[in-house]
Amino acid sequence: MRQREDAVRALYEREYDTLCRAAYRTLGDWEAAQDLVQDTFLLALIKDSLPEHPCPGAWLMKTLQNLLQNERRRLVSRRTFPLDDTIPAAEAEGALRDVLPSGLTETERKLLLLRFEDQLSYRELGERFDLSEGACRIKLFRTVEKCKKLLQ
């Protein structure tokens, strides 16, 4: 066990900067890149045969590429869509509250108004609705989707 940890530590010292730069080029976020490189080395610690691998640096790079691909998929699935595309000409017709469909609950209406009229962040919305930031993003996304269906 100790020998494997020493081998991974030596790999870490040799490959860390290269892996971080590669992850940063893909993500454009230094902290996220460092996090994924850390995850790569955690996987390296788990893999029993890594020190005997013919090219452990290449194994690390391939593992990082797989983690980066997963991260890109996660980011794409979390994209939000502006309400402006959903409710055409809302500004021309008046206030957002006047053009929202009647099929929305009061909470959904309030959520949309606070986000798009008052420009509250997801964190601020989460505090108001006693939700985590992630749960707030999901609730808002679902509310926008419901709004789209009601307007069609």
Side-chain angles (χ1 to χ4, degrees), residues 10 14 28 31 41 44 70 77 79 97 105 107 114 119 148:
R14 189 176 74 221
E31 288 180 11
F41 280 102
N70 292 343
S77 70
R79 270 193 280 183
R97 73 181 73 251
T105 67
T107 302
L114 289 171
Q119 300 293 310
K148 284 180 184 178

Side-chain angles (χ1 to χ4, degrees), residues 50-69:
L50 181 62
E52 294 84 34
H53 193 279
C55 193
W59 183 92
L60 289 169
M61 185 60 78
K62 182 62 177 175
T63 302
L64 176 63
Q65 289 172 348
N66 290 337
L67 291 173
L68 285 166
Q69 188 175 18

Side-chain angles (χ1 to χ4, degrees), residues 56-125:
W59 183 92
L60 289 169
M61 185 60 78
K62 182 62 177 175
T63 302
L64 176 63
Q65 289 172 348
N66 290 337
L67 291 173
L68 285 166
Q69 188 175 18
N70 292 343
E71 181 67 9
R72 282 193 302 263
R73 282 188 201 122
R74 186 186 67 78
L75 290 172
V76 166
S77 70
R78 289 184 60 196
R79 270 193 280 183
T80 57
F81 300 96
L83 192 59
D84 299 339
D85 296 341
T86 305
I87 304 174
E91 294 173 344
E93 294 180 30
L96 179 60
R97 73 181 73 251
D98 297 334
V99 295
L100 288 175
S102 60
L104 297 174
T105 67
E106 188 57 37
T107 302
E108 291 168 334
R109 293 176 68 78
K110 190 173 186 179
L111 181 66
L112 290 171
L113 293 171
L114 289 171
R115 175 67 179 146
F116 296 107
E117 279 192 348
D118 297 342
Q119 300 293 310
L120 292 184
S121 69
Y122 292 109
R123 182 184 52 78
E124 293 168 323
L125 287 171

Side-chain angles (χ1 to χ4, degrees), residues 4-47:
R4 185 173 71 223
E5 289 176 6
D6 290 341
V8 172
R9 183 175 290 114
L11 277 170
Y12 180 88
E13 291 170 1
R14 189 176 74 221
E15 302 290 338
Y16 180 80
D17 289 335
T18 303
L19 294 171
C20 280
R21 285 192 303 272
Y24 177 74
R25 281 192 304 272
T26 301
L27 296 174
D29 179 350
W30 188 250
E31 288 180 11
Q34 289 176 318
D35 288 345
L36 284 181
V37 171
Q38 291 296 324
D39 291 346
T40 302
F41 280 102
L42 285 173
L43 291 171
L45 277 172
I46 295 168
K47 180 142 176 75

Side-chain angles (χ1 to χ4, degrees), residues 128-143:
R128 291 249 178 126
F129 290 93
D130 196 29
L131 298 169
S132 69
E133 186 175 330
C136 192
R137 286 179 182 271
I138 292 169
K139 187 170 184 67
L140 185 65
F141 175 79
R142 289 178 179 160
T143 302

